[in-house]
Amino acid sequence: MGKELGKRIQSLMSSLGLSQKQLAELANVTEVSMSRYISGDRDPSIDTLANIATALHTTTDFLLGNEQETDFDFRKVKTLLARNAGSLDNRQKREIINALLGD
């Protein structure tokens, strides 16, 4: 996993405006552990990786480099939206709807 995983985590954290501490809390790990995952000094367990992916609104496959963020798979998009719908605020929901409608 290593440094590439850390780069992907860091990139998504930045795009979501999350701090390392916030991501650690969302993924249910310590801030020190999250720091080690990001630096590539330590690999997360499969369960932790799944928690990180959920917190970052992505898939474990993307975090592991097995898919590109630009790959489109309707099933995956639908699953991600369903899994994260409860954590989206109204502004974020409107942005998704506008993106779907091409506005």
Side-chain angles (χ1 to χ4, degrees), residues 66-81:
N66 295 332
E67 70 181 32
Q68 297 299 312
E69 192 171 26
T70 57
D71 289 349
F72 182 78
D73 182 330
F74 176 76
R75 223 175 40 238
K76 288 180 186 174
V77 171
K78 184 178 172 186
T79 300
L80 283 170
L81 285 171

Side-chain angles (χ1 to χ4, degrees), residues 89-101 103:
D89 61 33
N90 286 336
R91 179 191 57 78
Q92 292 168 321
K93 289 176 183 177
R94 277 192 302 277
E95 285 181 22
I96 290 170
I97 290 168
N98 288 339
L100 290 171
L101 296 175
D103 294 336

Side-chain angles (χ1 to χ4, degrees), residues 16 18 22-23 25-27 50-58 84:
L16 293 171
L18 289 175
Q22 290 169 318
L23 178 58
E25 289 172 0
L26 291 170
N51 289 346
I52 293 169
T54 298
L56 293 173
H57 309 293
T58 192
N84 294 290

Side-chain angles (χ1 to χ4, degrees), residues 18-64:
L18 289 175
S19 69
Q20 189 171 291
K21 181 178 181 176
Q22 290 169 318
L23 178 58
E25 289 172 0
L26 291 170
N28 200 29
V29 297
T30 66
E31 189 174 357
V32 171
S33 291
M34 186 59 67
S35 175
R36 290 181 179 148
Y37 303 146
I38 292 170
S39 69
D41 292 337
R42 184 173 169 196
D43 290 335
S45 70
I46 297 300
D47 289 339
T48 299
L49 184 65
N51 289 346
I52 293 169
T54 298
L56 293 173
H57 309 293
T58 192
T59 64
T60 55
D61 278 339
F62 174 73
L63 290 178
L64 294 172

